[in-house]
Amino acid sequence: LIRSGAFSQAVIGETSKLIMSLINYRVHENARDYEKLCRQKVAEYLEIDYAVERVDLNAERRRLHVPPKLPGRRSLARSEELQSQTIAEWVGSLLTLRVDFDRGEMLDVLIKYDEKRLLFLSDGGDRQNEDAPISVSLFSFGRSVVYLLSRLDVSSHHSQHEHRTPLRTHLWKFLLNVLSSAGERGRRLFRSGEG
């Protein structure tokens, strides 16, 4: 409209204000729906409603070691059948990579990300000072702790636990960091995973 010169600058300005008012009204009216949808998606991703009391460690261990089904071209067309992965499934897939180096690198990335909530701002973390509370780890929800424990369980089949001592040490460090601020839920997860 501006380039065509068909309308004056004042008309274009008033029209723009009207459009912005309508958009603002629509966003304001739908804000509650978007907030509810966002809360629901985050709760599903973190598995907030995961029932700690009904954990079957052997079933979770088998589930962790089943290779993911990658969608083919035909299944992409029916995207409603695809389920989004949870944070525990992402962690589980990173902890079961075939190459030791890749598993170690991914574990280091997860540890560094999680440690940011423990460190001070001066060290590159999130906490303001010593009195600031430590936030809860995103990895302390759902099945992440159970997956970490199953990778540490040497009584399981040799293909289902971590063999490399340095990686086992890193797994313990990650697990303890995650559980450090999880409180009672963390204790229940640890016990349910037979830790």
Side-chain angles (χ1 to χ4, degrees):
L1 290 174
I2 294 172
R3 286 189 200 144
S4 69
F7 299 102
S8 69
Q9 195 72 0
V11 170
I12 293 173
E14 289 301 315
T15 306
S16 298
K17 287 179 188 175
L18 177 62
I19 291 171
M20 291 305 295
S21 297
L22 291 172
I23 289 173
N24 283 338
Y25 174 76
R26 186 74 179 146
V27 168
H28 176 70
E29 284 299 307
N30 289 334
R32 288 181 226 104
D33 297 336
Y34 292 133
E35 288 175 10
K36 182 180 176 183
L37 177 66
C38 288
R39 273 196 297 275
Q40 176 188 353
K41 291 295 182 185
V42 167
E44 289 172 5
Y45 180 69
L46 294 177
E47 296 178 310
I48 298 291
D49 297 329
Y50 181 69
V52 176
E53 293 77 22
R54 293 183 278 137
V55 172
D56 181 3
L57 188 60
N58 289 325
E60 294 294 347
R61 187 179 290 125
R62 283 190 303 274
R63 184 177 177 176
L64 174 63
H65 292 282
V66 171
K69 293 180 182 176
L70 299 175
R73 292 178 188 243
R74 288 185 182 171
S75 62
L76 284 177
R78 296 180 306 235
S79 61
E80 68 275 357
E81 295 176 8
L82 297 176
Q83 288 184 333
S84 61
Q85 289 200 319
T86 64
I87 192 168
E89 290 167 336
W90 283 106
V91 169
S93 65
L94 294 175
L95 295 178
T96 56
L97 292 172
R98 290 185 179 267
V99 180
D100 294 344
F101 180 77
D102 293 341
R103 278 196 319 273
E105 287 294 312
M106 289 299 103
L107 193 52
D108 281 340
V109 168
L110 291 173
I111 289 171
K112 286 178 184 171
Y113 173 80
D114 192 56
E115 281 181 342
K116 286 174 62 176
R117 67 189 177 82
L118 303 171
L119 299 174
F120 297 117
L121 286 175
S122 60
D123 299 327
D126 297 335
R127 293 177 61 202
Q128 299 284 341
N129 56 32
E130 188 71 37
D131 299 330
I134 297 173
S135 60
V136 176
S137 174
L138 295 178
F139 303 110
S140 66
F141 298 98
R143 292 172 281 144
S144 297
V145 170
V146 175
Y147 284 171
L148 287 168
L149 288 170
S150 71
R151 290 296 291 166
L152 289 165
D153 183 12
V154 292
S155 67
S156 64
H157 188 268
H158 70 87
S159 65
Q160 295 182 341
H161 68 264
E162 184 57 60
H163 299 260
R164 306 284 185 253
T165 302
L167 291 178
R168 290 181 61 78
T169 305
H170 277 68
L171 279 170
W172 274 113
K173 179 180 181 181
F174 183 46
L175 178 65
L176 294 174
N177 281 349
V178 167
L179 293 176
S180 66
S181 63
E184 182 59 32
R185 183 174 36 81
R187 286 188 280 284
R188 286 195 328 257
L189 279 167
F190 192 73
R191 288 184 195 116
S192 69
E194 298 177 10

